[in-house]
Amino acid sequence: MLVVTGAAGFIGSNLVRALNAKGHSDLLLVDIHRHTSNLEGCTFADFLSKEQFEKLLVSGKLRIPPVAILHQGACADTLNEDEAFLFRNNFHFSKLLLEFALAERIPFIYASSAAVYGNSGSFSESPANEKPLNSYARSKLALDDLVKTMLPHITSTVVGLRYFNVYGPNERSKGRMASAIYQFYRQIEETALASLFEGSGGFSSGEQRRDFVFAGDVVKVNLFFLEHPARGIFNVGTGRGRSFNDAARILIRLMGKGQIRYIPFIPGLREKYQSFTEAPIDQLRQCGYAEEFTSLEEGITQSLQFWRQEKPQPAGLEANHEFAG
């Protein structure tokens, strides 16, 4: 049995579909809710809430021991400054899963974040580059730091994946934490205007650059480490930063409508805003991951085909960021 946490969320649901496509149906899915179109048509053995799963782990009453844990669940709200809540949700629960996986000697593959780098300007997997700007990033770095202290003594697979700016199918449930690309799509669809931030960090308006990585590529990296034993923390991005203007213009061309407008930052955001990210992926390549990453043009094309067909979420789910994958 494979465990996928955050399974009803963005990356988690894409991962479940990919596992099904590879013939895996003996899946235990964990999330705070299951009433979402993200899992429509998926096959799995059981679904537990985060609280139910936690109780089973603590009590030792998990009926069927899992063969691996793919941990995508977290509070992904970067504007949430309730540090106690974020550490309880993102660190302490993750630590429980890590300790269980180590005791059972099963693979533990978890979602970290490029947010740990803040505005350092350098993004290789080095402590010197880790400068988190908010409580979310600090909660993610706390788990990475714990893993790093354990690595010399670990023999089973433990892999942290520092996702850069992921976009793609099944984002709607992320609400305001959806990728900028998905938000541009919704804005253009509804108002014919894509709202980009004015200049910051030495970049002119809309020219801030992010390493936009397609969700399908993130899933492939997870599956690679499921099949190839490894230990460590790895960046997951394309290795090439692209501007927000690039992303909006691709959408406008493909949608056949829309314009770009530039808006000021909300108070307090500019100081915590990453104006540039670009993932060095040397360590990922050295582990043997050889797949090419999807170009921004192709990734947006594939995403747009899905977004145009997506069904509305049940009421209340778009604003729920407590435990999303």
Side-chain angles (χ1 to χ4, degrees):
M1 180 177 65
L2 293 168
V3 174
V4 181
T5 72
F10 168 35
I11 296 172
S13 61
N14 279 287
L15 184 53
V16 170
R17 291 185 185 279
L19 287 165
N20 280 175
K22 290 177 72 70
H24 297 287
S25 59
D26 190 18
L27 306 177
L28 170 58
L29 308 188
V30 179
D31 211 316
I32 59 170
H33 57 73
R34 68 180 292 176
H35 300 292
T36 171
S37 59
N38 285 354
L39 292 175
E40 187 174 306
C42 292
T43 303
F44 48 91
D46 203 355
F47 191 107
L48 296 175
S49 71
K50 172 176 171 281
E51 291 73 22
Q52 289 173 322
F53 186 54
E54 187 170 8
K55 286 179 181 177
L56 287 176
L57 288 182
V58 171
S59 66
K61 294 180 180 179
L62 196 61
R63 184 170 57 86
I64 303 174
V67 298
I69 298 175
L70 299 164
H71 180 36
Q72 308 298 311
C75 173
D77 189 346
T78 59
L79 300 180
N80 188 329
E81 287 300 327
D82 185 345
E83 194 140 335
F85 167 78
L86 286 164
F87 269 76
R88 185 169 62 252
N89 205 56
N90 293 358
F91 175 71
H92 293 291
F93 179 66
S94 301
K95 180 173 178 283
L96 175 66
L97 298 184
L98 170 63
E99 291 171 343
F100 175 84
L102 289 174
E104 296 294 322
R105 298 179 59 80
I106 61 173
F108 179 67
I109 301 164
Y110 72 93
S112 183
S113 172
V116 302
Y117 297 118
N119 281 329
S120 69
S122 298
F123 305 99
S124 59
E125 302 93 331
S126 167
N129 299 330
E130 296 162 358
K131 299 176 182 178
L133 294 171
N134 54 47
S135 296
Y136 164 77
R138 287 190 287 273
S139 72
K140 286 294 191 178
L141 182 58
L143 182 61
D144 286 354
D145 285 343
L146 175 63
V147 167
K148 283 183 282 190
T149 66
M150 293 180 166
L151 283 177
H153 316 291
I154 291 172
T155 56
S156 54
T157 289
V158 174
V159 168
L161 300 175
R162 287 182 173 171
Y163 300 155
F164 277 64
N165 294 87
V166 189
Y167 69 96
N170 293 353
E171 282 199 64
R172 190 166 190 168
S173 61
K174 288 182 69 69
R176 68 178 183 177
M177 290 298 114
S179 72
I181 295 175
Y182 180 72
Q183 295 192 47
F184 295 161
Y185 159 71
R186 290 287 295 270
Q187 292 166 5
I188 294 168
E189 188 67 26
E190 294 168 11
T191 69
L193 287 172
S195 299
L196 282 63
F197 283 129
E198 63 189 9
S200 64
F203 294 88
S204 58
S205 295
E207 284 301 304
Q208 299 96 330
R209 305 177 77 81
R210 294 288 178 87
D211 194 330
F212 297 109
V213 57
F214 183 52
D217 293 325
V218 169
V219 166
K220 288 179 182 178
V221 173
N222 274 270
L223 296 181
F224 171 82
F225 283 112
L226 186 59
E227 298 170 356
H228 297 81
R231 288 168 292 282
I233 295 168
F234 304 90
N235 288 335
V236 180
T238 67
R240 182 187 178 196
R242 298 286 298 272
S243 73
F244 289 100
N245 282 328
D246 285 343
R249 288 168 183 154
I250 293 168
L251 277 168
I252 289 168
R253 174 174 57 80
L254 292 172
M255 296 173 72
K257 64 178 181 180
Q259 294 181 329
I260 294 172
R261 68 173 177 180
Y262 301 109
I263 61 173
F265 284 87
I266 61 175
L269 179 59
R270 182 189 295 270
E271 296 75 21
K272 298 182 178 182
Y273 190 74
Q274 285 181 302
S275 296
F276 172 77
T277 66
E278 190 169 84
I281 54 174
D282 306 41
Q283 292 194 36
L284 186 63
R285 294 302 193 202
Q286 288 167 12
C287 271
Y289 187 77
E291 293 271 354
E292 290 299 316
F293 283 85
T294 305
S295 70
L296 186 60
E297 289 77 6
E298 178 58 26
I300 291 179
T301 299
Q302 290 187 39
S303 300
L304 190 58
Q305 291 171 353
F306 177 89
W307 293 337
R308 282 173 162 164
Q309 300 175 27
E310 67 185 355
K311 298 179 181 179
Q313 288 288 103
L317 291 191
E318 288 198 29
N320 198 331
H321 314 296
E322 289 186 3
F323 193 72

